[in-house]
Amino acid sequence: MAMLAAAMLGAASVWRSTSGAQAPGWAGQASTPSGQAATPSVEAAPTASTRPPHPFPDLARTRESLDIAQDPFSSGHPEEWRWLDQHGFPNGAQWTRYQQASNAELDQAVRAGDTVAATMLDARRLGADPTAESRLLASGAEGDLFALSLLSSWKAGANAAGIPEAYAISRVAEMRGDITTALHREMMLGGRLTSEQRLLAEAEALHLNLHLNALYRQKHGVDPPPVEMRPYQVDPDDTQR
């Protein structure tokens, strides 16, 4: 867990560097009264007057008016669509376009204020940029659970040693409202934890969750907003198994 602890310290550094910057709305999509998404770099976020144009200006930024059947993250619950927008998850159009976009295009979108693009760009940089992990954790402190999901998946796939950290980050996302992480956690991990590893990972998850709460208080001067559980529509076939 040493690497995760180092990333937590890095997230605190990112937090201090961006605490005075004006960031876009929570997760860069639907506006909410609580919190702001962490900016993707340690430099101050550009103001609206100095931002470059978005490389994909016609791309929908929320799920409003989109075909939810094409959404890669939704179970179909109407209230879940709003929850996904507010917690950093790209809609179907963003997911498809940003996966195909170049790093330069994503970077321009980031500089235009798009924090979904920032999350996906930082996910690409994991393993190459030592600060990318810290930025994803800092975004997680702001409510971007998509950032935690991507970080957990990367930890699970990087090497066997990262599986306990992947488990811990996944549990934090669950504690912060994303109940669906429990549905696919074991499949994502690709390997079973020993009883000792699981206990240590649970303890690390509790520590990381408290750390993210502390980061939020440090930046905003108030406690984080109450956890909003992800509305989830159960597949009828699942209840009959």
Side-chain angles (χ1 to χ4, degrees), residues 217-235:
R217 292 188 194 96
Q218 178 183 340
K219 181 174 184 180
H220 299 288
V222 295
D223 288 339
V227 170
E228 180 184 7
M229 303 307 292
R230 177 176 181 168
Y232 185 72
Q233 181 169 292
V234 178
D235 187 336

Side-chain angles (χ1 to χ4, degrees), residues 80-112:
E80 185 184 31
W81 308 340
R82 176 189 56 79
W83 188 96
L84 289 166
D85 282 343
Q86 292 180 347
H87 290 82
F89 288 83
N91 59 49
Q94 288 175 309
W95 177 246
T96 299
R97 189 65 189 89
Y98 289 175
Q99 282 190 308
Q100 300 170 349
S102 66
N103 284 1
E105 288 174 319
L106 286 182
D107 183 67
Q108 182 178 337
V110 171
R111 291 184 288 113

Side-chain angles (χ1 to χ4, degrees), residues 47-137:
T47 62
S49 61
T50 61
R51 288 174 180 167
H54 198 288
F56 313 115
D58 298 327
L59 196 64
R61 301 286 291 276
T62 73
R63 285 165 169 78
E64 186 177 357
S65 301
L66 292 183
D67 182 0
I68 205 65
Q70 303 300 318
D71 196 301
F73 301 103
S74 176
S75 66
H77 193 300
E79 279 299 303
E80 185 184 31
W81 308 340
R82 176 189 56 79
W83 188 96
L84 289 166
D85 282 343
Q86 292 180 347
H87 290 82
F89 288 83
N91 59 49
Q94 288 175 309
W95 177 246
T96 299
R97 189 65 189 89
Y98 289 175
Q99 282 190 308
Q100 300 170 349
S102 66
N103 284 1
E105 288 174 319
L106 286 182
D107 183 67
Q108 182 178 337
V110 171
R111 291 184 288 113
D114 188 332
T115 55
V116 172
T119 296
M120 294 185 70
L121 181 58
D122 275 330
R124 286 187 185 182
R125 290 170 169 167
L126 287 167
D129 181 350
T131 64
E133 183 174 342
S134 297
R135 288 195 296 271
L136 290 174
L137 287 173

Side-chain angles (χ1 to χ4, degrees), residues 26-27 29 37 73 83-90 115-116 119 136-153 169-181 184 209 212-213 226-231:
W26 203 357
Q29 302 194 56
F73 301 103
W83 188 96
L84 289 166
D85 282 343
Q86 292 180 347
H87 290 82
F89 288 83
T115 55
V116 172
T119 296
L136 290 174
L137 287 173
S139 293
E142 286 291 293
D144 189 341
L145 300 188
F146 180 59
L148 297 184
S149 174
L150 292 181
L151 179 57
S152 178
S153 296
I169 296 168
S170 173
R171 282 287 290 123
V172 170
E174 186 177 1
M175 293 173 189
R176 301 177 87 82
D178 191 357
I179 58 175
T180 67
T181 59
H184 53 76
N209 192 49
L212 296 187
N213 287 342
V227 170
E228 180 184 7
M229 303 307 292
R230 177 176 181 168

Side-chain angles (χ1 to χ4, degrees), residues 175-228:
M175 293 173 189
R176 301 177 87 82
D178 191 357
I179 58 175
T180 67
T181 59
L183 299 177
H184 53 76
R185 182 180 296 119
E186 296 301 324
M187 183 180 297
M188 177 195 71
L189 294 180
R192 292 187 177 276
L193 298 177
T194 65
S195 297
E196 181 181 4
Q197 285 177 319
R198 191 177 296 270
L199 285 173
L200 290 174
E202 287 286 353
E204 185 64 21
L206 291 172
H207 178 65
L208 176 57
N209 192 49
L210 291 174
H211 178 75
L212 296 187
N213 287 342
L215 286 180
Y216 189 95
R217 292 188 194 96
Q218 178 183 340
K219 181 174 184 180
H220 299 288
V222 295
D223 288 339
V227 170
E228 180 184 7

